[in-house]
Amino acid sequence: MQILVTGGTGYIGSHTVVELLNHGDDVVIVDNLSNSHPIVLERIEIITDKRPDFIKADVCNFEKMNEVFSKYQFDSIIHFAGSKAVGESVEKPLLYYRNNIESTWVLVELMEKYNVPSIIFSSSATVYGQPDINPITEDFSYQCTNPYGRTKMINELFLKDTTVAYPNISAISLRYFNPIGAHESGLIGEDPQGIPNNLMPYITQVAIGKLEKLSIFGDDYDTHDGTGVRDYIHVVDLAKGHVAAVNYLQEHKDTSFLAVNLGTGIGYSVLDIVHAFEKIIGREIPYQITDRRLGDIATCYANPKKAKELLNWEAKFDLEKMCEDSWRWQIKNPKGYVRSNVF
Ligand SMILES: NC(=O)c1ccc[n+]([C@@H]2O[C@H](COP(=O)([O-])OP(=O)(O)OC[C@H]3O[C@@H](n4cnc5c(N)ncnc54)[C@H](O)[C@@H]3O)[C@@H](O)[C@H]2O)c1
């Protein structure tokens, strides 16, 4: 199949492109490189022995995307491109509403024009906000607590409405829990700009001496050790979930819209992750407990049953492997992609 991957040089996108190429699909990446580096394309080629087509463009640019759609006949789209930092979305809602919503609008408009039958959308467990109970199933109500989460919810509602109005288009919204880890080659991984927002890159940067110590936001939550519990999933497992979703829509063309959790179903606390990582590197990670962070919740983990039943997909990699691969990526690329010492 010929697949358009928007945001395909980013963290989850690059791992998904590898899985698609390994699966035998042809891939066209559109990315404006606002949060990624073009060297990713070389790394993908080293891993897979194939080079995806790459177009540097903004997905919100209708004319440019029209050119792309007129050049290729896509069988499916995986739409990763977007802005993803919760804190930044509170400060810059204009950027987030434009980038995260207009991009999907452009794609669906062009899918209708060029007869592209399916789209897989990158959603997030953040649409569940502060759930009363765990594990979380897909029928829980939307309870978004920030502009980023609301852009994901609006995208889902938009896809629901458009797939009803245009029965030739199908959509699956994949609600990711907490992706960590990296490809086991150590060639691609998460490369945050500045101070990381997420736990694992923070831990690896402390371990390598780039940051002094980890701040853990609150140890008085109602969890087994007082620190927040999340559902961490290996990014390669997550990537394989996208291949499964594309294949599902290929075989079930009468689908309109589906929302599916991608998680492991296991909750680990911040301290569980720190201790698992310490085991891998054989030394302690310095940390301090600070105040709770506004908007953080105690516990959030998925019920992954729907993904298993519908997509025949389930996460395979355990926490040890997630930590090992995160660490390999960090030591091979101590400064990220830009000044990497791998080549
Ligand atoms: N990483 C997570 O923890 C997480 C969790 C849940 C959902 N998501 C969602 O998954 C998707 C991918 O996340 P990621 O972690 O790989 O992020 P990322 O920032 O690494 O990748 C996003 C890519 O999209 C590109 N991009 C952004 N806006 C664009 C635009 N208008 N046109 C073209 N390219 C554009 C960036 O340059 C980047 O390469 C995002 O939609 C994000 O909201 C991520």
Side-chain angles (χ1 to χ4, degrees):
M1 281 192 282
Q2 175 92 262
I3 318 278
L4 168 63
V5 181
T6 75
T9 47
Y11 173 44
I12 306 170
S14 57
H15 289 81
T16 303
V17 169
V18 165
E19 295 307 316
L20 289 166
L21 293 171
N22 285 342
H23 179 257
D25 294 311
D26 293 323
V27 174
V28 178
I29 295 175
V30 171
D31 199 302
N32 63 4
L33 301 177
S34 57
N35 197 35
S36 54
H37 197 285
I39 200 174
V40 170
L41 298 164
E42 285 169 34
R43 305 288 181 89
I44 290 172
E45 193 175 1
I46 294 168
I47 296 169
T48 63
D49 223 8
K50 292 174 195 160
R51 194 166 178 114
D53 285 4
F54 174 73
I55 297 148
K56 182 172 184 246
D58 190 321
V59 184
C60 299
N61 183 333
F62 186 89
E63 284 72 34
K64 183 76 193 166
M65 292 307 291
N66 190 39
E67 278 172 32
V68 175
F69 275 69
S70 61
K71 184 170 171 204
Y72 298 93
Q73 181 54 53
F74 297 121
D75 297 297
S76 191
I77 297 172
I78 308 182
H79 180 31
F80 293 106
S83 307
K84 64 166 182 176
V86 169
E88 189 186 45
S89 78
V90 176
E91 287 158 27
K92 300 178 183 168
L94 284 174
L95 168 74
Y96 274 68
Y97 279 92
R98 182 171 190 278
N99 205 29
N100 290 3
I101 294 172
E102 192 174 3
S103 53
T104 316
W105 172 79
V106 166
L107 292 174
V108 175
E109 182 96 16
L110 291 168
M111 287 172 76
E112 180 54 14
K113 183 171 171 190
Y114 290 95
N115 268 321
V116 179
S118 68
I119 180 164
I120 312 300
F121 175 68
S122 290
S123 188
S124 165
T126 195
V127 298
Y128 299 117
Q130 311 212 2
D132 296 330
I133 51 166
N134 281 278
I136 298 168
T137 50
E138 291 82 352
D139 56 356
F140 278 29
S141 60
Y142 290 117
Q143 286 188 42
C144 311
T145 55
N146 53 67
Y148 168 70
R150 282 188 276 276
T151 66
K152 294 296 180 194
M153 174 188 75
I154 291 168
N155 268 295
E156 291 197 354
L157 297 174
F158 170 72
L159 289 170
K160 258 186 210 172
D161 286 341
T162 46
T163 51
V164 168
Y166 308 113
N168 52 333
I169 297 180
S170 306
I172 293 184
S173 183
L174 295 175
R175 295 174 176 169
Y176 314 152
F177 280 68
N178 293 67
I180 59 173
H183 191 267
E184 66 175 356
S185 61
L187 289 170
I188 54 173
E190 187 172 9
D191 182 24
Q193 294 178 13
I195 306 283
N197 279 316
N198 294 335
L199 177 63
M200 185 54 89
Y202 211 110
I203 292 178
T204 60
Q205 291 194 14
V206 170
I208 206 160
K210 211 169 155 185
L211 295 169
E212 195 193 333
K213 60 180 145 184
L214 173 70
S215 293
I216 297 180
F217 302 110
D219 65 349
D220 56 352
Y221 286 105
D222 184 16
T223 62
H224 63 274
D225 59 20
T227 64
V229 167
R230 299 288 180 273
D231 186 335
Y232 295 93
I233 174 168
H234 196 295
V235 66
V236 172
D237 274 331
L238 196 74
K240 288 180 174 159
H242 292 75
V243 180
V246 168
N247 289 338
Y248 178 87
L249 289 183
Q250 183 67 14
E251 287 159 18
H252 298 82
K253 292 190 188 299
D254 55 340
T255 307
S256 48
F257 173 85
L258 289 170
V260 181
N261 289 341
L262 291 187
T264 63
I266 303 168
Y268 287 111
S269 72
V270 176
L271 283 175
D272 290 335
I273 302 292
V274 170
H275 297 322
F277 191 81
E278 287 174 337
K279 258 190 174 173
I280 299 295
I281 65 168
R283 58 193 158 87
E284 288 188 358
I285 293 289
Y287 68 82
Q288 60 180 0
I289 305 291
T290 60
D291 289 344
R292 288 183 179 194
R293 205 166 43 175
L294 202 68
D296 274 358
I297 55 175
T299 303
C300 169
Y301 60 92
N303 179 332
K305 213 170 139 199
K306 189 170 174 185
K308 171 81 179 144
E309 284 173 1
L310 274 184
L311 309 181
N312 195 23
W313 169 92
E314 63 188 330
K316 296 269 192 302
F317 295 131
D318 61 13
L319 183 56
E320 193 183 338
K321 170 85 173 148
M322 297 185 220
C323 294
E324 264 173 23
D325 289 343
S326 297
W327 184 226
R328 188 179 306 103
W329 155 254
Q330 180 69 78
I331 48 179
K332 280 189 146 188
N333 305 269
K335 292 181 177 160
Y337 283 116
V338 184
R339 274 164 288 162
S340 151
N341 64 354
V342 187
F343 299 107

